[in-house]
Amino acid sequence: MMRQYELVERVQKYKPDANEALLNKAYVYAMQKHGQQKRASGDPYISHPLEVAAILTEMRLDESTIAVALLHDTIEDTSATRAEIDEMFGDDIGALVEGLTKIKKLDLVTKKAKQAENLRKLLLAISDDVRVLLVKLADRLHNMRTLDHMSSEKRKRISEETMDIYAPLAGRMGMQDMREELEDLSFRHINPEAYETVTKRLGDLSTRNEGLVTKIEDELRELLQAQGLANAQVKGRQKQPYSVFRKMQSKSLSFEQLSDVYGFRIIVDDIPSCYRALGIVHTRWRVVPGRFKDYISTPKQNDYQSVHTTIVGPSRQRIELQIRSRRMNDIAEYGIAAHSLYKDGRDAQDGALSPKSNAYSWLRRTIESLAEGENAEEFLEHTKLELFQDQVFCFTPKGQLIALPRGATPIDFAYAVHTNIGDTCVGAKINGRIMPLVTRLANGDEVEIVRSGIQVPPPAWEEIVVTGKARAAIRKATRAAIRKQYSGLGHRILERTFERAGKAFSRDAMKPALHRLGQKDIEDAIASVGRGELSSLDVLRAVFPDHQDERVTVKPNADDGWFNMRSAAGMVFKLPGRSKASLEAADSDGPEALPIRGLSGNAEVHFGPAGAVPGDRIVGIMEKDRGITIYPIQSPILQKFDDEPDRWIDIRWDLDEANNTRFMARIMINALNEPGTLAEISQVVATADTNILRLAMGRIAADFSELVLDLEVWDLRQLNSLITQLKELPCVSTISRVYE
């Protein structure tokens, strides 16, 4: 276990004027509070915050952050309080410790919703002070290093969470070395067999190529120094097991097919020297085509800068090279921790991280997406989409650089520019050519979005896009569009209900009644009526508590038939007393009935399974979360709703003369089971200008088959004409309309 003086010495090596008293006080306080607590390994608990602090000293962080690392578990696991820490160490350190405490209350949970809420709280805490992230990542790294003392189930659960969230989050913040170690430690517990196999193969390869890395380093260094880059450093290493395994999986390669297991970094003084080194290397060795990337001119979103190339280098070995300056190397290794954002007296000219840095821009966009997701699970999904994707860089017509995940489409591009542009997108030009919206963008593409003011994002776009922001915005727009449809239907239902009760409907009149209806606002209440969750009669009674709904009771007749009548509120009641014929003859085509047109894309009105066609006598049934379902009056399923009169809605057709919408109807045919029967029936259907949407066929006797056809027709007249023609076929025994 590290000693107190060793920790202080580590900090003073890179910051001689560090506040030694603060570090000593934090150490003593943490030691006293944790007391005799033990870790699962049996070590004193204080060893954990000490090791977390030691990890942060490797990043050369200030003494305040080191103190937070020492204290980060005190509020959570001891009798320490926020007020006590504020008094001893100041509000700044107290806020950071409490932020980490709130996170740990939900840490390492199994339920997806709680894991998502944990991530939400983590990012919100980071938005106040990014040091929360640095301490959290160091905390997770030490926990992963000491995971062997946990049960196998817990090891796997913690490793999966680390692989899903913390490792990619470290990568997005530019902390590549920490990301790689977190991934390898997680890989070891998630897939131990694969980890052992890859590790063994890498070990065998290292034994066979003993001295190869050193040889290549020396040859590269000598070449660069001979060409005038005297201060150039060359560092080589074998790739990590998880990196090798991921490449084997993503490219479907065997271990023997991997040709770039070794990677080398060339570190020089400045940017001009980077490109000079690149020219020297490319002049000396053959370049592998398609393997060059310039992240100096176009940095990654996490501020990473470097030139990547692959060459067939010394000993005919294919190797990857990363060429960067020393400043770039610090950022590549330590990410946001390499910036002097937290050091007093520094400004942007001295390397401090600008608030406009790419890493913070990504973090802000991710946190903004909190408002887009309907729930914590959606937020987790959006964040994972952002974390895991590699990037492509595209441009607006004005030259603005837009970084997107690999595989992104013009729709993702539009939403990356602005949500409103994505919502109104109808087309795209890529490099001046009109291209489909499903086109995958490539590095360097110039994208121009074509917009329309009447566009609403189709729900199918959600399956096309790859960015969390686009997916969240499409879901939000889809929910808003459906809510608007239900609200429109609810408004029409309420207008008719109030009118038939002799009352005037207005939105303002609903305000005082919202609490009685259990609704937050007027639009929610109206949309609930449209969805069938709230009865229009309940709204009427809530607005006018003294209203008396008069209903007529009719004694049953001997024929056990049914007859149709309206209440003052306009609902269709089915009461015993008349023949079925009188029901069918009842007038419901007047202006009081709710008019419907074509239902294409209409979320709040649906037909029953057997359909209905213009000319049918129809009624509507309110169904929760589906709005109105329309049935022909002959449908036997309506009997299920006899005891629920408030769910009945009077419906009438309202079609233009130029109607070009077909409607579905179902018929059943008993026909001879002989060759040519189906062909004859199909020929009649086609000749009658109708279409078979669906067909089911089964044998009911040795010589007869039953055919159930779902047909698309213009109206009832056309359907009846078709049925008459089918009856005349010699192969048809019986035919009937199905109303189920």
Side-chain angles (χ1 to χ4, degrees), residues 447-717:
V447 184
E448 179 183 352
I449 300 300
V450 181
R451 303 170 63 191
S452 170
I454 60 173
Q455 163 71 352
V456 176
W461 276 9
E462 190 181 332
E463 303 302 320
I464 299 172
V465 299
V466 299
T467 59
K469 180 178 181 182
R471 189 166 294 183
I474 292 165
R475 284 178 179 171
K476 185 176 181 181
T478 301
R479 285 192 293 262
I482 293 175
R483 184 175 185 265
K484 184 177 180 181
Q485 288 183 342
Y486 280 127
S487 182
L489 174 63
H491 192 275
R492 296 198 301 273
I493 292 172
L494 287 170
E495 280 184 336
R496 284 165 173 75
T497 299
F498 276 62
E499 180 182 349
R500 288 164 182 155
K503 307 290 185 181
F505 171 73
S506 71
R507 293 172 183 266
D508 291 340
M510 289 181 63
K511 286 183 181 179
L514 287 176
H515 68 282
R516 291 194 290 272
L517 296 170
Q519 301 292 327
K520 292 185 293 186
D521 57 48
I522 294 173
E523 285 303 318
D524 280 344
I526 295 176
S528 294
V529 173
R531 281 193 298 267
E533 297 172 349
L534 184 64
S535 165
S536 59
L537 282 176
D538 289 340
V539 176
L540 177 65
R541 297 186 190 106
V543 175
F544 298 102
D546 297 333
H547 172 70
Q548 298 295 322
D549 183 30
E550 297 179 2
R551 302 189 179 186
V552 179
T553 302
V554 181
K555 293 182 179 180
N557 206 345
D559 59 8
D560 284 332
W562 301 92
F563 106 103
N564 172 49
M565 68 176 303
R566 296 190 190 95
S567 73
M571 299 299 170
V572 177
F573 292 162
K574 294 189 65 175
L575 301 175
R578 295 285 181 88
S579 67
K580 185 176 181 182
S582 67
L583 171 61
E584 294 173 345
D587 174 24
S588 67
D589 292 332
E592 296 173 339
L594 189 66
I596 64 165
R597 294 179 179 268
L599 302 183
S600 177
N602 202 331
E604 79 272 14
V605 183
H606 312 266
F607 284 115
V613 300
D616 279 338
R617 166 76 169 85
I618 53 176
V619 293
I621 300 295
M622 293 297 301
E623 296 192 69
K624 188 175 181 181
D625 292 328
R626 283 182 56 84
I628 297 176
T629 301
I630 297 173
Y631 299 95
I633 198 66
Q634 297 93 336
S635 177
I637 200 172
L638 293 174
Q639 296 182 24
K640 294 197 311 181
F641 307 106
D642 288 339
D643 297 328
E644 302 176 88
D646 288 354
R647 295 178 62 180
W648 289 68
I649 301 290
D650 210 355
I651 301 290
R652 65 181 172 87
W653 295 100
D654 182 23
L655 299 175
D656 295 330
E657 291 183 2
N659 170 53
N660 60 356
T661 303
R662 293 180 185 267
F663 296 84
M664 195 272 281
R666 181 170 294 168
I667 62 172
M668 181 186 295
I669 302 173
N670 287 337
L672 288 175
N673 184 21
E674 61 183 18
T677 294
L678 187 58
E680 288 185 56
I681 293 173
S682 299
Q683 180 62 37
V684 172
V685 171
T687 304
D689 188 28
T690 57
N691 179 52
I692 298 177
L693 186 65
R694 194 176 297 104
L695 183 148
M697 188 172 181
R699 181 175 294 186
I700 57 175
D703 297 329
F704 285 90
S705 294
E706 181 181 84
L707 287 77
V708 178
L709 280 72
D710 286 352
L711 303 170
E712 288 184 320
V713 300
W714 298 111
D715 53 29
L716 184 61
R717 180 180 300 177

Side-chain angles (χ1 to χ4, degrees), residues 265-277:
R265 294 175 184 171
I266 297 175
I267 304 171
V268 293
D269 292 331
D270 49 34
I271 291 178
S273 298
C274 293
Y275 291 106
R276 187 176 174 190

Side-chain angles (χ1 to χ4, degrees), residues 237-368:
R237 65 172 183 171
Q238 194 177 68
K239 287 190 174 180
Q240 299 298 315
Y242 180 70
S243 177
V244 171
F245 178 75
R246 181 170 54 194
K247 189 165 189 177
M248 290 170 61
Q249 278 198 320
S250 64
K251 298 193 175 182
S252 300
L253 299 173
S254 67
F255 187 86
E256 290 74 15
Q257 291 174 301
L258 295 175
S259 56
D260 50 359
V261 177
Y262 298 101
F264 292 81
R265 294 175 184 171
I266 297 175
I267 304 171
V268 293
D269 292 331
D270 49 34
I271 291 178
S273 298
C274 293
Y275 291 106
R276 187 176 174 190
L278 177 69
I280 293 170
V281 171
H282 280 187
T283 303
R284 174 67 178 81
W285 289 291
R286 185 161 55 89
V287 180
V288 177
R291 298 299 301 271
F292 174 78
K293 295 178 182 178
D294 187 350
Y295 292 118
I296 293 179
S297 62
T298 54
K300 289 188 176 183
Q301 280 183 297
N302 58 12
D303 300 318
Y304 175 87
Q305 289 183 287
S306 187
V307 172
H308 291 192
T309 188
T310 302
I311 61 172
V312 181
S315 304
R316 308 295 298 170
Q317 182 73 33
R318 185 173 175 177
I319 58 175
E320 287 187 351
L321 287 178
Q322 298 172 350
I323 305 172
R324 59 182 67 149
S325 70
R326 287 176 174 78
R327 175 64 176 163
M328 294 174 193
N329 190 60
D330 287 340
I331 295 175
E333 290 184 350
Y334 301 119
I336 55 173
H339 298 276
S340 50
L341 177 64
Y342 309 112
K343 297 179 182 179
D344 297 332
R346 300 293 184 94
D347 57 25
Q349 299 300 321
D350 194 25
L353 183 60
S354 165
K356 295 183 180 179
S357 110
N358 288 328
Y360 282 107
S361 296
W362 173 83
L363 190 59
R364 283 196 299 270
R365 285 198 308 273
T366 303
I367 293 171
E368 284 171 5

